[in-house]
């Protein structure tokens, strides 16, 4: 897997995430993500906090990042729907993961946060109109992003990081 920097390669990053979604329904993909995280946490057991290599995230850190992304997306969705072309702030995912202590956070707490936000965001999506989904915010690194695009990016983001978490578990177990 080639690393794509979401900051310096914004368009490539969008394309990569959208490739993980393909033609699938983004709401269905997002609906399935929490169950997939539950299963992965159960499978990981004692390997939950182990990193596959220095500088790489453990499974619990990946879950923390998914919760952070859902929190950020929650705000972005609402700014886009409520304001005309609002500025959408980027965030430093590594700084958040470290500063918020994801590696030491209880995985069930992170999963509860993710699930609560996800339920609210799926309900918001379900009641949105095509006109609302076409509304645009101005991402400070990637430019214009509609509610529809932002929602689809999060679905691809789910698949990308769940795949990464499965690889992480395989790598951690292969190293022992």
């Amino acid at each position: 897997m080639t690393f794509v920097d979401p900051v310096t390669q914004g368009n490539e990053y969008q394309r990569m995430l959208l490739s993980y979604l393909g033609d699938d329904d983004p709401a269905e993909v997002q609906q399935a993500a929490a169950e997939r995280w539950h299963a992965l946490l159960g499978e990981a057991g004692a390997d939950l906090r182990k990193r596959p290599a220095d500088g790489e995230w453990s499974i619990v850190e990946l879950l923390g990042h998914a919760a952070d992304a859902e929190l950020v997306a929650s705000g972005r969705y609402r700014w886009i729907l409520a304001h005309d072309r609002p500025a959408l702030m980027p965030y430093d995912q590594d700084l958040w993961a470290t500063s918020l202590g994801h590696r030491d956070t209880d995985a069930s707490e992170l999963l509860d946060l993710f699930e609560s936000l996800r339920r609210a965001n799926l309900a918001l999506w379900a009641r949105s109109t095509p006109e609302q989904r076409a509304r645009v915010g101005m991402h400070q690194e990637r430019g214009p992003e509609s509610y529809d695009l932002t929602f689809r990016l999060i679905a691809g983001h789910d698949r990308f990081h769940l795949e990464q978490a499965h690889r992480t578990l395989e790598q951690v177990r292969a190293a022992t």
Side-chain angles (χ1 to χ4, degrees), residues 81-164:
L81 291 172
H83 299 274
D84 290 329
R85 300 178 71 80
L88 304 176
M89 295 290 298
Y91 71 105
D92 183 329
Q93 62 186 22
D94 293 313
L95 181 64
W96 281 41
T98 302
S99 297
L100 300 176
H102 291 330
R103 190 172 189 196
D104 299 319
T105 303
D106 185 294
S108 63
E109 177 185 323
L110 293 170
L111 191 55
D112 286 347
L113 174 62
F114 177 81
E115 289 179 310
S116 295
L117 292 167
R118 180 55 58 90
R119 275 192 305 276
N121 290 333
L122 286 169
L124 182 65
W125 177 258
R127 67 180 180 267
S128 66
T129 66
E131 293 78 21
Q132 288 174 313
R133 292 178 184 185
R135 290 181 60 84
V136 171
M138 299 302 294
H139 192 286
Q140 291 185 354
E141 293 170 344
R142 298 188 298 257
E145 290 187 352
S146 68
Y147 177 32
D148 178 73
L149 174 59
T150 304
F151 192 79
R152 289 186 297 121
L153 289 170
I154 288 296
H157 188 266
D158 282 348
R159 283 186 169 166
F160 174 77
H161 285 297
L162 279 159
E163 181 181 292
Q164 181 184 11

Side-chain angles (χ1 to χ4, degrees), residues 3-126:
F3 176 75
V4 177
D5 182 17
V7 176
T8 62
Q9 300 172 290
N11 291 332
E12 291 86 356
Y13 179 71
Q14 285 178 332
R15 281 193 290 278
M16 181 201 66
L17 292 182
L18 293 173
S19 75
Y20 277 86
L21 176 61
D23 293 329
D24 294 338
D25 181 318
E28 290 177 8
V29 170
Q30 290 188 40
Q31 182 69 40
E35 186 176 310
R36 292 185 65 200
W37 278 112
H38 269 286
L40 182 60
L41 294 178
E43 183 183 346
D47 295 324
L48 187 64
R49 297 178 195 288
K50 294 179 182 173
R51 292 179 173 160
D54 287 339
E56 293 186 27
W57 287 342
S58 65
I59 292 168
V60 73
E61 288 169 304
L62 287 164
L63 173 58
H65 171 64
D68 290 343
E70 194 66 18
L71 177 66
V72 170
S74 297
R76 288 178 181 167
Y77 297 156
R78 285 152 180 83
W79 283 312
I80 290 169
L81 291 172
H83 299 274
D84 290 329
R85 300 178 71 80
L88 304 176
M89 295 290 298
Y91 71 105
D92 183 329
Q93 62 186 22
D94 293 313
L95 181 64
W96 281 41
T98 302
S99 297
L100 300 176
H102 291 330
R103 190 172 189 196
D104 299 319
T105 303
D106 185 294
S108 63
E109 177 185 323
L110 293 170
L111 191 55
D112 286 347
L113 174 62
F114 177 81
E115 289 179 310
S116 295
L117 292 167
R118 180 55 58 90
R119 275 192 305 276
N121 290 333
L122 286 169
L124 182 65
W125 177 258

